Amino acid sequence: MAGRQVVVKWAQLPARYFVSAQSTVPGVGVSDFEAAVQRAFTRWQDLPTSAITYQYVGRTSAQPGQQDGSSTLGFANRPELDRVLASTSFFVDRTTGALLESDIFFNSAFQWSVAPDGQSGRFDLESIALHEIGHFSGLAHSALGETELREGGGRRVLSAEAVMFPIAFMAGSIAARTPKADDIAGISDLYPDGDFPQKGSVSGRVTKNGQGVFGAHVVAFDPATRELIAGFTLNTAGEFSIAGLSPGPKVIRVEPLDDADIDGFFDAAQPVDLDFRVLLFDRLVVVPRRGDSGRIDVTVGRK
Amino acid sequence: MTRAIIASIVIVGAGLVRVDSASAQTQRLPGTIEFSGGASWLGKASFGSADATETTPTGSTTKLFETSSSLRPAAGLEARLGVRLAGRAEVEGFMSFARPTLATTISNDIEAGTTVTARERVTEYVFGGAVLWYDNESPPLRVFVTAGAGYLRQLHESNTLAVTGQIYYGGVGVKYFFLSQRGRQVVKGLGLRVDGRLIAQRRGISLDDRVHYAPEVAGSLFVRF
């Protein structure tokens, strides 16, 4: 913000939220809505390495998106947003990064379901709520997913290993109701608890032709736990840091951000470099307990 | 240089072969305490495979890439201090040092066309104890069976992370005496020892909770007092 980086998170817990009393669409009553979003909140809250807590206050006549000092979740009919299932908006203290209010709207122009096993042709409210509550809590998008372009525009998700991947699974899927390792590392990094302080990190630099690569997606894979946790190079020097890693050796994979729209991750003005080949680093990078690997230098080549 | 020194010792030792005939009758080894030092070769320990997967919309998984890991064969050093017990039994304490390479081969990446092996060098120490049981054969050649256990400490590359575990082994070996004598001499025996062992490693750098097995051979020079 204003050239400074701040961590956006709730300064006071529990994070309190309301549900809009008008939150009803065909097949989903207000009570169904409340139950579905509460299940999603509980998924985040029950993570043993995160201290985030939430409190449901009750129903409100307010709509999500109104700056009223209260965080509100509810449906809103936005047919013009034909590729937006839901969205989270924030009000943030620009000095500290403290979240003051966070509203989530679910687009009632789509078909929704709260069926335990999902419902063909309808998007699973609990899965989408889980993703939006990640944003509500301060998380950004993850790029741990693979997509293909659709003929009519947009992308179809082939697979994802983070509920914070920016594109939802197809309607009817309930495969994204549980946070993955990358999500857990992210929320635990913001609100550490339990044995999270025992975790370590990998940091380093990605370069191409001697210059730093901005926006490279760096993935750490743990052969012992089989967890994938990722981050980005976040400056023009190509520097990155991936936190929340279990101690031990990691496989490092670096790829361009080519499975989702860049504006889901970075501002349009930022010089994200997509012109390099996927690289598998030829060193196992050791993550110490409560420490950092020490800077690794990864050199990628042009496509 | 080291190899030349060892060869010289062996040749000099061979010139000293003198076996006390009494030992053949009593089957007792000369001396009570034995010190040995030498080199070992630890074979490959496979840690199996682990796939990096992502979840599909149906809830199944699809591979991002595959990995298979192993601790590659490595030479090491070992030293042993043994004490003869009654009969044909002996107990010994030992320590060993090696620097094997942990290697993970990454293949079938959905986007990268190459197979890459990522490596790190591990520093490994083992402290333990073992028992030996000699057969009835006469010097200069004594065959023995052995079993032991040890505390394993492995340091990852850059020494930023240590892991511990246990090793257990069983094996056979042979001692060839260049010199075997009784009486007032300080040195009662001198010779060459060769061991073959099957090592079972539990925990340590294993990437899973299974017990991993690897062969080991060792050769050392010993002196008995």
Side-chain angles (χ1 to χ4, degrees):
Chain A
M1 291 185 182
R4 287 188 312 114
Q5 286 193 343
V6 293
V7 176
V8 176
K9 59 182 284 189
W10 291 99
Q12 290 190 325
L13 297 175
R16 292 154 51 90
Y17 69 96
F18 294 82
V19 163
S20 171
Q22 292 85 47
S23 289
T24 177
V25 293
V28 182
V30 180
S31 300
D32 300 324
F33 183 92
E34 289 171 321
V37 298
Q38 282 182 39
R39 286 195 297 273
F41 273 113
T42 302
R43 295 276 191 188
W44 287 110
Q45 184 170 287
D46 284 353
L47 297 173
T49 55
S50 166
I52 187 84
T53 54
Y54 310 96
Q55 182 185 357
Y56 178 45
V57 183
R59 295 181 187 178
T60 176
S61 58
Q63 295 288 318
Q66 296 174 350
Q67 187 174 2
D68 54 7
S70 299
S71 296
T72 304
L73 285 71
F75 283 113
N77 188 29
R78 302 291 299 275
E80 75 281 11
L81 301 176
D82 60 351
R83 290 183 188 164
V84 178
L85 286 167
S87 181
T88 304
S89 54
F90 314 102
F91 297 98
V92 178
D93 183 323
R94 295 170 68 92
T95 306
T96 64
L99 279 162
L100 305 173
E101 180 183 341
S102 186
D103 292 352
I104 302 173
F105 91 82
F106 298 83
N107 194 344
S108 59
F110 292 88
Q111 301 284 305
W112 293 95
S113 167
V114 290
D117 297 324
Q119 201 171 348
S120 179
R122 291 173 177 264
F123 287 97
D124 182 51
L125 183 64
E126 184 177 334
S127 301
I128 305 304
L130 191 71
H131 174 97
E132 296 304 328
I133 292 166
H135 291 315
F136 176 100
S137 307
L139 291 181
H141 279 145
S142 165
L144 276 176
E146 302 300 320
T147 62
E148 63 179 9
L149 292 171
R150 287 196 299 206
E151 282 187 9
R155 294 174 180 272
R156 187 173 76 89
V157 182
L158 303 173
S159 59
E161 200 56 17
V163 299
M164 295 313 295
F165 190 68
I167 308 172
F169 284 149
M170 61 191 181
S173 172
I174 57 167
R177 283 183 176 176
T178 307
K180 302 288 190 179
D182 188 59
D183 308 305
I184 295 168
I187 197 80
S188 304
D189 195 31
L190 285 177
Y191 308 95
D193 198 13
D195 69 353
F196 189 77
Q198 302 295 316
K199 306 270 185 178
S201 60
V202 169
S203 65
R205 186 168 178 241
V206 178
T207 58
K208 184 181 72 175
N209 298 331
Q211 301 296 312
V213 176
F214 185 94
H217 188 225
V218 185
V219 181
F221 172 67
D222 189 325
T225 63
R226 305 182 186 206
E227 291 178 345
L228 289 164
I229 298 177
F232 292 99
T233 57
L234 293 174
N235 56 33
T236 52
E239 292 171 326
F240 68 92
S241 179
I242 307 171
L245 301 173
S246 302
K250 303 288 176 281
V251 169
I252 301 295
R253 181 180 190 266
V254 183
E255 62 177 354
L257 181 51
D258 57 5
D259 278 298
D261 296 334
I262 293 168
D263 60 7
F265 301 88
F266 297 101
D267 291 339
Q270 292 180 302
V272 175
D273 189 343
L274 303 179
D275 185 25
F276 63 92
R277 292 190 301 272
V278 173
L279 180 126
L280 298 164
F281 195 41
D282 63 0
R283 270 183 50 207
L284 286 170
V285 179
V286 178
V287 174
R289 196 168 281 108
R290 292 185 300 250
D292 186 74
S293 62
R295 196 178 93 163
I296 62 169
D297 289 300
V298 182
T299 303
V300 295
R302 297 176 72 97
K303 279 184 178 172
Chain B
M1 181 65 178
T2 306
R3 190 176 298 171
I5 291 170
I6 292 171
S8 302
I9 292 170
V10 170
I11 291 166
V12 170
L16 290 175
V17 170
R18 184 169 75 82
V19 178
D20 191 332
S21 59
S23 66
Q25 294 164 6
T26 62
Q27 305 301 328
R28 290 187 64 188
L29 290 166
T32 305
I33 296 171
E34 177 183 297
F35 173 76
S36 65
S40 62
W41 180 89
L42 181 63
K44 177 180 175 179
S46 177
F47 296 155
S49 61
D51 298 336
T53 61
E54 292 184 337
T55 304
T56 70
T58 62
S60 63
T61 59
T62 184
K63 288 179 191 172
L64 189 60
F65 54 83
E66 300 171 2
T67 70
S68 63
S69 300
S70 63
L71 206 56
R72 296 290 171 87
L77 299 171
E78 65 175 38
R80 291 171 180 267
L81 182 64
V83 178
R84 191 184 72 198
L85 300 177
R88 288 177 279 158
E90 209 163 78
V91 294
E92 63 182 10
F94 67 88
M95 63 172 294
S96 67
F97 167 83
R99 296 205 70 203
T101 295
L102 176 63
T104 297
T105 299
I106 312 150
S107 59
N108 293 325
D109 186 285
I110 60 168
E111 291 178 273
T114 54
T115 294
V116 170
T117 298
R119 297 178 169 87
E120 66 145 327
R121 184 64 73 86
V122 174
T123 303
E124 177 178 300
Y125 301 91
V126 179
F127 303 91
V131 294
L132 283 73
W133 184 263
Y134 292 93
D135 76 348
N136 284 322
E137 290 180 20
S138 304
L141 207 61
R142 302 298 300 255
V143 176
F144 61 87
V145 294
T146 180
Y151 164 79
L152 170 70
R153 182 174 174 83
Q154 292 170 313
L155 286 166
H156 284 280
E157 196 166 86
S158 73
N159 298 339
T160 55
L161 181 66
V163 291
T164 61
Q166 302 90 41
I167 64 113
Y168 304 92
Y169 69 79
V172 296
V174 60
K175 290 181 180 177
Y176 180 78
F177 282 79
F178 306 137
L179 174 68
S180 176
Q181 59 190 4
R182 299 185 186 282
R184 296 191 172 186
Q185 297 90 340
V186 175
V187 175
K188 301 290 196 304
L190 193 66
L192 178 68
R193 168 179 174 167
V194 176
D195 287 55
R197 309 174 189 123
L198 180 65
I199 306 284
Q201 178 186 323
R202 184 171 165 271
R203 299 173 67 94
I205 296 173
S206 66
L207 304 181
D208 58 31
D209 290 330
R210 293 186 299 134
V211 175
H212 299 278
Y213 298 92
E216 184 179 46
V217 293
S220 56
L221 292 172
F222 68 83
V223 57
R224 295 183 69 91
F225 304 98

